[in-house]
Amino acid sequence: MKKKIFILFFSLLALLGCEKSEPPPKPPFNVSLTLPQLMDWVLDPAADGIWDAVAWISTTKGEKVIAPHTEAQWDALRNSAATLMEASNLLMLEGRAKDNGPWMTYSRRLSNASEKTLNAIANKDTQAIFDAGSEIDSACEACHIQYAKFDQKAPQK
Ligand code: HEC
């Protein structure tokens, strides 16, 4: 019985914690990348690994399909999607997350899109990989519009 009350107490605490809009707690880690480094060194290359792997390009000689051919290329593509999926978890870490609301929603959206990509890769379904890649793109965009405010900084080259 005591145990149940204990659990109830902590569940209530957890619930209360979710509703308060206090600043996020300090990071549980000692050494970590800054947010721009995490973006530039982890998320961006992983996303590029997906976006560059599958494409339909119109040329004068007709349509050119870009897709992985060798097992090594498929593995590299899978690794990019896996990295991106885990990187969305890194965005949600205490101390890195900017809030407990939309930030988490965008990060989960990225995670879901990455999972879809992973499944599509497992099926070697290039159309589904391409579609999931668009979902990844819009997840990045949605968060940037709200939090990155690129337009208010120096113009990007
Ligand atoms: C949950 C929010 C969020 C998601 C999702 C997100 N980003 Fe970001 N990103 C940011 C924020 C905030 C910044 C601005 C960081 C700063 O300047 O301090 C940023 C900045 C960047 C930058 C510029 C870094 C620099 O050097 O200033 C790149 C590149 C980038 N993101 C790529 C991506 C890609 C690619 C994705 C999707 C695969 C993505 N981001 C998803 C929040 C997000």
PDB file of all heavy atoms in Angstrom, residues 35-36 39-40 43-44 47 51 84 91 98 103 106-107 110 136 139-140 143-144 147-148 150 153, ligand 1:
ATOM      1  N   LEU A  35      24.144  23.736 -29.604  1.00  0.00           N
ATOM      2  CA  LEU A  35      23.052  23.427 -30.524  1.00  0.00           C
ATOM      3  C   LEU A  35      23.471  23.598 -31.991  1.00  0.00           C
ATOM      4  O   LEU A  35      23.223  22.699 -32.811  1.00  0.00           O
ATOM      5  CB  LEU A  35      21.821  24.274 -30.183  1.00  0.00           C
ATOM      6  CG  LEU A  35      20.518  23.829 -30.825  1.00  0.00           C
ATOM      7  CD1 LEU A  35      20.174  22.381 -30.476  1.00  0.00           C
ATOM      8  CD2 LEU A  35      19.382  24.752 -30.422  1.00  0.00           C
ATOM      9  N   PRO A  36      24.152  24.707 -32.347  1.00  0.00           N
ATOM     10  CA  PRO A  36      24.602  24.803 -33.752  1.00  0.00           C
ATOM     11  C   PRO A  36      25.542  23.661 -34.161  1.00  0.00           C
ATOM     12  O   PRO A  36      25.474  23.183 -35.295  1.00  0.00           O
ATOM     13  CB  PRO A  36      25.331  26.158 -33.800  1.00  0.00           C
ATOM     14  CG  PRO A  36      24.708  26.961 -32.710  1.00  0.00           C
ATOM     15  CD  PRO A  36      24.382  25.977 -31.619  1.00  0.00           C
ATOM     16  N   MET A  39      23.505  20.594 -34.790  1.00  0.00           N
ATOM     17  CA  MET A  39      22.816  20.745 -36.078  1.00  0.00           C
ATOM     18  C   MET A  39      23.779  20.494 -37.236  1.00  0.00           C
ATOM     19  O   MET A  39      23.500  19.707 -38.136  1.00  0.00           O
ATOM     20  CB  MET A  39      22.225  22.164 -36.198  1.00  0.00           C
ATOM     21  CG  MET A  39      21.105  22.441 -35.239  1.00  0.00           C
ATOM     22  SD  MET A  39      19.637  21.528 -35.703  1.00  0.00           S
ATOM     23  CE  MET A  39      18.790  21.462 -34.136  1.00  0.00           C
ATOM     24  N   ASP A  40      24.929  21.190 -37.183  1.00  0.00           N
ATOM     25  CA  ASP A  40      25.874  21.161 -38.313  1.00  0.00           C
ATOM     26  C   ASP A  40      26.615  19.832 -38.447  1.00  0.00           C
ATOM     27  O   ASP A  40      26.947  19.409 -39.539  1.00  0.00           O
ATOM     28  CB  ASP A  40      26.916  22.278 -38.163  1.00  0.00           C
ATOM     29  CG  ASP A  40      26.370  23.626 -38.597  1.00  0.00           C
ATOM     30  OD1 ASP A  40      25.444  23.642 -39.433  1.00  0.00           O
ATOM     31  OD2 ASP A  40      26.858  24.657 -38.110  1.00  0.00           O
ATOM     32  N   LEU A  43      22.875  16.396 -37.143  1.00  0.00           N
ATOM     33  CA  LEU A  43      21.585  16.350 -37.839  1.00  0.00           C
ATOM     34  C   LEU A  43      21.718  16.615 -39.343  1.00  0.00           C
ATOM     35  O   LEU A  43      21.167  15.873 -40.158  1.00  0.00           O
ATOM     36  CB  LEU A  43      20.596  17.357 -37.230  1.00  0.00           C
ATOM     37  CG  LEU A  43      19.804  16.836 -36.027  1.00  0.00           C
ATOM     38  CD1 LEU A  43      20.572  17.051 -34.753  1.00  0.00           C
ATOM     39  CD2 LEU A  43      18.444  17.465 -35.939  1.00  0.00           C
ATOM     40  N   ASP A  44      22.450  17.680 -39.677  1.00  0.00           N
ATOM     41  CA  ASP A  44      22.521  18.077 -41.085  1.00  0.00           C
ATOM     42  C   ASP A  44      23.160  17.004 -41.970  1.00  0.00           C
ATOM     43  O   ASP A  44      22.592  16.634 -43.003  1.00  0.00           O
ATOM     44  CB  ASP A  44      23.252  19.425 -41.195  1.00  0.00           C
ATOM     45  CG  ASP A  44      22.808  20.216 -42.402  1.00  0.00           C
ATOM     46  OD1 ASP A  44      21.625  20.127 -42.775  1.00  0.00           O
ATOM     47  OD2 ASP A  44      23.648  20.913 -42.999  1.00  0.00           O
ATOM     48  N   ALA A  47      20.759  14.082 -42.323  1.00  0.00           N
ATOM     49  CA  ALA A  47      19.631  14.390 -43.212  1.00  0.00           C
ATOM     50  C   ALA A  47      20.109  14.406 -44.668  1.00  0.00           C
ATOM     51  O   ALA A  47      19.427  13.874 -45.551  1.00  0.00           O
ATOM     52  CB  ALA A  47      18.997  15.724 -42.819  1.00  0.00           C
ATOM     53  N   TRP A  51      18.558  12.737 -47.992  1.00  0.00           N
ATOM     54  CA  TRP A  51      18.075  13.549 -49.119  1.00  0.00           C
ATOM     55  C   TRP A  51      18.892  13.322 -50.384  1.00  0.00           C
ATOM     56  O   TRP A  51      18.354  13.395 -51.491  1.00  0.00           O
ATOM     57  CB  TRP A  51      18.090  15.041 -48.747  1.00  0.00           C
ATOM     58  CG  TRP A  51      17.108  15.398 -47.675  1.00  0.00           C
ATOM     59  CD1 TRP A  51      15.891  14.806 -47.447  1.00  0.00           C
ATOM     60  CD2 TRP A  51      17.249  16.418 -46.670  1.00  0.00           C
ATOM     61  NE1 TRP A  51      15.282  15.395 -46.363  1.00  0.00           N
ATOM     62  CE2 TRP A  51      16.076  16.383 -45.867  1.00  0.00           C
ATOM     63  CE3 TRP A  51      18.237  17.354 -46.361  1.00  0.00           C
ATOM     64  CZ2 TRP A  51      15.879  17.253 -44.784  1.00  0.00           C
ATOM     65  CZ3 TRP A  51      18.037  18.222 -45.300  1.00  0.00           C
ATOM     66  CH2 TRP A  51      16.868  18.166 -44.521  1.00  0.00           C
ATOM     67  N   LEU A  84      19.741  10.096 -37.405  1.00  0.00           N
ATOM     68  CA  LEU A  84      18.762  11.175 -37.300  1.00  0.00           C
ATOM     69  C   LEU A  84      17.687  10.845 -36.262  1.00  0.00           C
ATOM     70  O   LEU A  84      17.258  11.709 -35.495  1.00  0.00           O
ATOM     71  CB  LEU A  84      18.117  11.413 -38.669  1.00  0.00           C
ATOM     72  CG  LEU A  84      17.504  12.779 -38.894  1.00  0.00           C
ATOM     73  CD1 LEU A  84      18.490  13.888 -38.594  1.00  0.00           C
ATOM     74  CD2 LEU A  84      16.988  12.899 -40.315  1.00  0.00           C
ATOM     75  N   LEU A  91      17.804  16.047 -29.008  1.00  0.00           N
ATOM     76  CA  LEU A  91      17.170  17.372 -28.956  1.00  0.00           C
ATOM     77  C   LEU A  91      16.251  17.492 -27.748  1.00  0.00           C
ATOM     78  O   LEU A  91      16.027  18.578 -27.237  1.00  0.00           O
ATOM     79  CB  LEU A  91      16.354  17.628 -30.229  1.00  0.00           C
ATOM     80  CG  LEU A  91      17.113  17.834 -31.526  1.00  0.00           C
ATOM     81  CD1 LEU A  91      16.150  17.971 -32.683  1.00  0.00           C
ATOM     82  CD2 LEU A  91      17.996  19.067 -31.428  1.00  0.00           C
ATOM     83  N   LYS A  98      14.295  23.417 -25.424  1.00  0.00           N
ATOM     84  CA  LYS A  98      14.023  24.821 -25.087  1.00  0.00           C
ATOM     85  C   LYS A  98      12.746  24.959 -24.272  1.00  0.00           C
ATOM     86  O   LYS A  98      12.540  25.977 -23.617  1.00  0.00           O
ATOM     87  CB  LYS A  98      13.919  25.666 -26.353  1.00  0.00           C
ATOM     88  CG  LYS A  98      15.204  25.656 -27.168  1.00  0.00           C
ATOM     89  CD  LYS A  98      15.728  27.057 -27.419  1.00  0.00           C
ATOM     90  CE  LYS A  98      16.930  27.038 -28.320  1.00  0.00           C
ATOM     91  NZ  LYS A  98      18.137  27.538 -27.675  1.00  0.00           N
ATOM     92  N   TRP A 103       8.709  22.498 -28.798  1.00  0.00           N
ATOM     93  CA  TRP A 103      10.043  21.934 -29.058  1.00  0.00           C
ATOM     94  C   TRP A 103       9.998  20.416 -29.084  1.00  0.00           C
ATOM     95  O   TRP A 103      10.574  19.768 -29.971  1.00  0.00           O
ATOM     96  CB  TRP A 103      11.037  22.415 -27.991  1.00  0.00           C
ATOM     97  CG  TRP A 103      12.436  21.944 -28.232  1.00  0.00           C
ATOM     98  CD1 TRP A 103      12.982  20.753 -27.828  1.00  0.00           C
ATOM     99  CD2 TRP A 103      13.454  22.638 -28.951  1.00  0.00           C
ATOM    100  NE1 TRP A 103      14.281  20.664 -28.247  1.00  0.00           N
ATOM    101  CE2 TRP A 103      14.599  21.814 -28.932  1.00  0.00           C
ATOM    102  CE3 TRP A 103      13.511  23.881 -29.599  1.00  0.00           C
ATOM    103  CZ2 TRP A 103      15.786  22.196 -29.552  1.00  0.00           C
ATOM    104  CZ3 TRP A 103      14.702  24.253 -30.203  1.00  0.00           C
ATOM    105  CH2 TRP A 103      15.821  23.409 -30.178  1.00  0.00           C
ATOM    106  N   TYR A 106       8.057  19.134 -32.225  1.00  0.00           N
ATOM    107  CA  TYR A 106       8.853  19.141 -33.451  1.00  0.00           C
ATOM    108  C   TYR A 106       9.903  18.030 -33.421  1.00  0.00           C
ATOM    109  O   TYR A 106      10.166  17.388 -34.439  1.00  0.00           O
ATOM    110  CB  TYR A 106       9.540  20.494 -33.650  1.00  0.00           C
ATOM    111  CG  TYR A 106       8.577  21.649 -33.805  1.00  0.00           C
ATOM    112  CD1 TYR A 106       8.789  22.857 -33.154  1.00  0.00           C
ATOM    113  CD2 TYR A 106       7.441  21.520 -34.602  1.00  0.00           C
ATOM    114  CE1 TYR A 106       7.900  23.911 -33.291  1.00  0.00           C
ATOM    115  CE2 TYR A 106       6.548  22.569 -34.733  1.00  0.00           C
ATOM    116  CZ  TYR A 106       6.783  23.762 -34.076  1.00  0.00           C
ATOM    117  OH  TYR A 106       5.903  24.803 -34.206  1.00  0.00           O
ATOM    118  N   SER A 107      10.504  17.825 -32.254  1.00  0.00           N
ATOM    119  CA  SER A 107      11.532  16.788 -32.148  1.00  0.00           C
ATOM    120  C   SER A 107      10.912  15.411 -32.382  1.00  0.00           C
ATOM    121  O   SER A 107      11.513  14.555 -33.044  1.00  0.00           O
ATOM    122  CB  SER A 107      12.193  16.824 -30.763  1.00  0.00           C
ATOM    123  OG  SER A 107      12.704  18.105 -30.505  1.00  0.00           O
ATOM    124  N   LEU A 110      10.265  14.853 -35.996  1.00  0.00           N
ATOM    125  CA  LEU A 110      11.495  14.452 -36.678  1.00  0.00           C
ATOM    126  C   LEU A 110      11.797  12.976 -36.416  1.00  0.00           C
ATOM    127  O   LEU A 110      12.169  12.231 -37.324  1.00  0.00           O
ATOM    128  CB  LEU A 110      12.668  15.327 -36.202  1.00  0.00           C
ATOM    129  CG  LEU A 110      14.018  15.051 -36.850  1.00  0.00           C
ATOM    130  CD1 LEU A 110      13.942  15.230 -38.362  1.00  0.00           C
ATOM    131  CD2 LEU A 110      15.089  15.964 -36.270  1.00  0.00           C
ATOM    132  N   ILE A 136      10.786  14.691 -43.127  1.00  0.00           N
ATOM    133  CA  ILE A 136      11.936  15.122 -42.321  1.00  0.00           C
ATOM    134  C   ILE A 136      12.172  16.613 -42.560  1.00  0.00           C
ATOM    135  O   ILE A 136      12.306  17.403 -41.624  1.00  0.00           O
ATOM    136  CB  ILE A 136      13.198  14.308 -42.691  1.00  0.00           C
ATOM    137  CG1 ILE A 136      13.071  12.891 -42.160  1.00  0.00           C
ATOM    138  CG2 ILE A 136      14.468  14.979 -42.164  1.00  0.00           C
ATOM    139  CD1 ILE A 136      14.161  11.936 -42.621  1.00  0.00           C
ATOM    140  N   ALA A 139       9.758  18.758 -40.821  1.00  0.00           N
ATOM    141  CA  ALA A 139       9.967  18.759 -39.362  1.00  0.00           C
ATOM    142  C   ALA A 139      11.097  19.728 -38.994  1.00  0.00           C
ATOM    143  O   ALA A 139      10.993  20.498 -38.033  1.00  0.00           O
ATOM    144  CB  ALA A 139      10.269  17.356 -38.859  1.00  0.00           C
ATOM    145  N   CYS A 140      12.185  19.704 -39.772  1.00  0.00           N
ATOM    146  CA  CYS A 140      13.305  20.641 -39.532  1.00  0.00           C
ATOM    147  C   CYS A 140      12.784  22.080 -39.665  1.00  0.00           C
ATOM    148  O   CYS A 140      13.031  22.923 -38.801  1.00  0.00           O
ATOM    149  CB  CYS A 140      14.433  20.464 -40.554  1.00  0.00           C
ATOM    150  SG  CYS A 140      15.046  18.788 -40.785  1.00  0.00           S
ATOM    151  N   CYS A 143      10.461  23.568 -36.845  1.00  0.00           N
ATOM    152  CA  CYS A 143      11.167  23.983 -35.633  1.00  0.00           C
ATOM    153  C   CYS A 143      11.988  25.244 -35.908  1.00  0.00           C
ATOM    154  O   CYS A 143      12.021  26.154 -35.089  1.00  0.00           O
ATOM    155  CB  CYS A 143      12.055  22.875 -35.100  1.00  0.00           C
ATOM    156  SG  CYS A 143      12.691  23.269 -33.448  1.00  0.00           S
ATOM    157  N   HIS A 144      12.611  25.312 -37.064  1.00  0.00           N
ATOM    158  CA  HIS A 144      13.439  26.485 -37.372  1.00  0.00           C
ATOM    159  C   HIS A 144      12.614  27.763 -37.438  1.00  0.00           C
ATOM    160  O   HIS A 144      13.047  28.799 -36.970  1.00  0.00           O
ATOM    161  CB  HIS A 144      14.173  26.271 -38.703  1.00  0.00           C
ATOM    162  CG  HIS A 144      15.253  25.238 -38.600  1.00  0.00           C
ATOM    163  ND1 HIS A 144      15.796  24.602 -39.683  1.00  0.00           N
ATOM    164  CD2 HIS A 144      15.882  24.717 -37.511  1.00  0.00           C
ATOM    165  CE1 HIS A 144      16.718  23.748 -39.278  1.00  0.00           C
ATOM    166  NE2 HIS A 144      16.785  23.794 -37.959  1.00  0.00           N
ATOM    167  N   TYR A 147      12.008  28.596 -33.738  1.00  0.00           N
ATOM    168  CA  TYR A 147      13.105  28.762 -32.777  1.00  0.00           C
ATOM    169  C   TYR A 147      14.414  29.289 -33.363  1.00  0.00           C
ATOM    170  O   TYR A 147      15.217  29.849 -32.630  1.00  0.00           O
ATOM    171  CB  TYR A 147      13.406  27.434 -32.077  1.00  0.00           C
ATOM    172  CG  TYR A 147      12.289  26.943 -31.194  1.00  0.00           C
ATOM    173  CD1 TYR A 147      11.384  26.001 -31.657  1.00  0.00           C
ATOM    174  CD2 TYR A 147      12.151  27.420 -29.893  1.00  0.00           C
ATOM    175  CE1 TYR A 147      10.354  25.537 -30.840  1.00  0.00           C
ATOM    176  CE2 TYR A 147      11.131  26.961 -29.076  1.00  0.00           C
ATOM    177  CZ  TYR A 147      10.232  26.017 -29.557  1.00  0.00           C
ATOM    178  OH  TYR A 147       9.234  25.574 -28.752  1.00  0.00           O
ATOM    179  N   ALA A 148      14.667  29.073 -34.643  1.00  0.00           N
ATOM    180  CA  ALA A 148      15.995  29.423 -35.151  1.00  0.00           C
ATOM    181  C   ALA A 148      16.062  30.873 -35.621  1.00  0.00           C
ATOM    182  O   ALA A 148      17.103  31.487 -35.521  1.00  0.00           O
ATOM    183  CB  ALA A 148      16.408  28.470 -36.260  1.00  0.00           C
ATOM    184  N   PHE A 150      16.302  32.335 -38.416  1.00  0.00           N
ATOM    185  CA  PHE A 150      17.427  32.588 -39.326  1.00  0.00           C
ATOM    186  C   PHE A 150      17.323  33.971 -39.977  1.00  0.00           C
ATOM    187  O   PHE A 150      18.315  34.625 -40.209  1.00  0.00           O
ATOM    188  CB  PHE A 150      17.485  31.538 -40.443  1.00  0.00           C
ATOM    189  CG  PHE A 150      17.872  30.180 -39.949  1.00  0.00           C
ATOM    190  CD1 PHE A 150      17.184  29.050 -40.361  1.00  0.00           C
ATOM    191  CD2 PHE A 150      18.930  30.019 -39.062  1.00  0.00           C
ATOM    192  CE1 PHE A 150      17.547  27.794 -39.914  1.00  0.00           C
ATOM    193  CE2 PHE A 150      19.299  28.768 -38.615  1.00  0.00           C
ATOM    194  CZ  PHE A 150      18.588  27.645 -39.038  1.00  0.00           C
ATOM    195  N   LYS A 153      18.976  36.922 -38.319  1.00  0.00           N
ATOM    196  CA  LYS A 153      20.434  36.928 -38.190  1.00  0.00           C
ATOM    197  C   LYS A 153      21.041  37.481 -39.471  1.00  0.00           C
ATOM    198  O   LYS A 153      20.335  37.864 -40.392  1.00  0.00           O
ATOM    199  CB  LYS A 153      20.940  35.504 -37.959  1.00  0.00           C
ATOM    200  CG  LYS A 153      20.589  34.993 -36.580  1.00  0.00           C
ATOM    201  CD  LYS A 153      21.277  33.659 -36.387  1.00  0.00           C
ATOM    202  CE  LYS A 153      20.773  32.983 -35.122  1.00  0.00           C
ATOM    203  NZ  LYS A 153      21.077  31.559 -35.162  1.00  0.00           N
TER     204      LYS A 153
HETATM  205  C1  HEC B   1      13.380  20.943 -32.227  1.00  0.00           C
HETATM  206  C2  HEC B   1      13.905  22.009 -33.016  1.00  0.00           C
HETATM  207  C3  HEC B   1      14.788  21.766 -34.208  1.00  0.00           C
HETATM  208  C4  HEC B   1      14.721  20.743 -35.118  1.00  0.00           C
HETATM  209  C5  HEC B   1      13.709  19.600 -35.171  1.00  0.00           C
HETATM  210  C6  HEC B   1      15.775  20.965 -36.054  1.00  0.00           C
HETATM  211  N1  HEC B   1      16.473  22.101 -35.745  1.00  0.00           N
HETATM  212 FE1  HEC B   1      18.075  22.849 -36.770  1.00  0.00          FE
HETATM  213  N2  HEC B   1      18.146  24.403 -35.492  1.00  0.00           N
HETATM  214  C7  HEC B   1      17.319  24.612 -34.406  1.00  0.00           C
HETATM  215  C8  HEC B   1      17.677  25.867 -33.750  1.00  0.00           C
HETATM  216  C9  HEC B   1      17.015  26.464 -32.517  1.00  0.00           C
HETATM  217  C10 HEC B   1      18.764  26.408 -34.485  1.00  0.00           C
HETATM  218  C11 HEC B   1      19.521  27.721 -34.206  1.00  0.00           C
HETATM  219  C12 HEC B   1      20.658  27.405 -33.261  1.00  0.00           C
HETATM  220  C13 HEC B   1      21.419  28.640 -32.854  1.00  0.00           C
HETATM  221  O1  HEC B   1      21.742  29.469 -33.733  1.00  0.00           O
HETATM  222  O2  HEC B   1      21.696  28.759 -31.670  1.00  0.00           O
HETATM  223  C14 HEC B   1      19.024  25.463 -35.569  1.00  0.00           C
HETATM  224  C15 HEC B   1      20.031  25.627 -36.511  1.00  0.00           C
HETATM  225  C16 HEC B   1      20.300  24.769 -37.544  1.00  0.00           C
HETATM  226  C17 HEC B   1      21.375  24.942 -38.492  1.00  0.00           C
HETATM  227  C18 HEC B   1      22.375  26.100 -38.511  1.00  0.00           C
HETATM  228  C19 HEC B   1      23.443  25.829 -37.468  1.00  0.00           C
HETATM  229  C20 HEC B   1      24.442  26.958 -37.352  1.00  0.00           C
HETATM  230  O3  HEC B   1      25.622  26.738 -37.617  1.00  0.00           O
HETATM  231  O4  HEC B   1      24.013  28.070 -36.979  1.00  0.00           O
HETATM  232  C21 HEC B   1      21.318  23.889 -39.356  1.00  0.00           C
HETATM  233  C22 HEC B   1      22.250  23.621 -40.534  1.00  0.00           C
HETATM  234  C23 HEC B   1      20.210  23.066 -38.953  1.00  0.00           C
HETATM  235  N3  HEC B   1      19.620  23.625 -37.838  1.00  0.00           N
HETATM  236  C24 HEC B   1      19.832  21.902 -39.591  1.00  0.00           C
HETATM  237  C25 HEC B   1      18.744  21.133 -39.208  1.00  0.00           C
HETATM  238  C26 HEC B   1      18.259  19.987 -39.942  1.00  0.00           C
HETATM  239  C27 HEC B   1      18.840  19.479 -41.251  1.00  0.00           C
HETATM  240  C28 HEC B   1      17.178  19.515 -39.248  1.00  0.00           C
HETATM  241  C29 HEC B   1      16.304  18.342 -39.577  1.00  0.00           C
HETATM  242  C30 HEC B   1      16.904  17.122 -39.984  1.00  0.00           C
HETATM  243  C31 HEC B   1      17.011  20.351 -38.083  1.00  0.00           C
HETATM  244  N4  HEC B   1      17.966  21.318 -38.098  1.00  0.00           N
HETATM  245  C32 HEC B   1      16.015  20.149 -37.148  1.00  0.00           C
HETATM  246  C33 HEC B   1      16.298  23.785 -33.982  1.00  0.00           C
HETATM  247  C34 HEC B   1      15.887  22.637 -34.630  1.00  0.00           C
END
